[in-house]
């Protein structure tokens, strides 16, 4: 599945995601601020008969080159891939005005020594999935989304 932020949210993440058809979950609730994850849809008739249809996704790989892939919705890698780390998908709060990218935050993140001040700036919040064009099942509404960084 292709997915990402809702088109009109002022805090929308800037990138599209390639979502696996078999997500993994570690937590089932979260009550603070969060990013939002939606499925992607075609929204024009540029491609005939596509308007309103959900968008599939593909990952391309070139032989002879190393590949690093962040897989949202998984905490493991697929066969033939090596796990580098897993954790939670992050963006910033979906109602913030500035755009962000989705990133995979390690399950046990490190912290900058002396960096405990609250200066705001570029922020990380967990991303929560929302059903609709984001297929549920296999995704689960309102669950924090896991991620894995894999290499090949």
């Amino acid at each position: 599945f292709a997915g990402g932020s809702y088109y009109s949210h002022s805090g929308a993440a800037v990138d599209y995601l390639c979502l696996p058809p078999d997500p993994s979950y570690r937590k089932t609730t979260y009550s603070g601020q969060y990013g939002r994850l939606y499925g992607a849809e075609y929204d024009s008739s540029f491609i005939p008969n596509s308007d309103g249809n959900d968008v599939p996704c593909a990952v391309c790989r070139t032989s002879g080159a190393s590949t690093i892939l962040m897989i949202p919705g998984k905490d493991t890698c697929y066969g033939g891939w090596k796990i580098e780390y897993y954790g939670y998908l992050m963006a910033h709060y979906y109602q913030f005005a500035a755009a962000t990218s989705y990133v995979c935050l390690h399950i046990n993140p490190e912290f900058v020594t002396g960096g405990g001040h609250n200066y705001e700036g570029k922020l990380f919040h967990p991303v929560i999935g929302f059903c609709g064009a984001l297929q549920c099942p296999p995704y689960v509404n309102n669950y924090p989304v896991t991620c894995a960084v894999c290499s090949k």
Side-chain angles (χ1 to χ4, degrees):
F1 309 98
S5 291
Y6 196 74
Y7 79 96
S8 64
H9 285 164
S10 58
V14 297
D15 55 349
Y16 292 97
L17 293 173
C18 237
L19 302 168
D22 54 347
S24 306
Y25 289 98
R26 295 279 175 138
K27 293 187 179 186
T28 60
T29 61
Y30 180 76
S31 61
Q33 295 177 330
Y34 51 84
R36 285 188 169 190
L37 178 63
Y38 293 87
E41 297 177 332
Y42 293 108
D43 190 31
S44 79
S45 56
F46 180 73
I47 300 169
N49 304 314
S50 66
D51 193 24
N53 283 294
D54 296 351
V55 180
C57 200
V59 175
C60 300
R61 184 168 181 264
T62 303
S63 62
S66 69
T67 305
I68 302 293
L69 176 66
M70 190 272 283
I71 305 174
K74 295 295 290 177
D75 58 6
T76 59
C77 298
Y78 290 105
W81 290 81
K82 176 186 171 201
I83 186 123
E84 298 296 332
Y85 68 91
Y86 74 92
Y88 284 98
L89 192 63
M90 298 282 160
H92 66 49
Y93 185 50
Y94 76 95
Q95 290 186 338
F96 291 166
T100 63
S101 294
Y102 289 109
V103 296
C104 187
L105 184 67
H106 192 284
I107 192 71
N108 295 308
E110 295 181 2
F111 304 95
V112 175
T113 302
H117 304 285
N118 188 7
Y119 294 126
E120 301 300 338
K122 194 72 160 176
L123 305 175
F124 284 62
H125 292 103
V127 173
I128 307 298
F130 283 80
C131 297
L134 178 63
Q135 299 292 312
C136 296
Y139 287 84
V140 180
N141 200 52
N142 290 316
Y143 274 29
V145 179
T146 56
C147 56
V149 174
C150 306
S151 63
K152 190 171 189 175

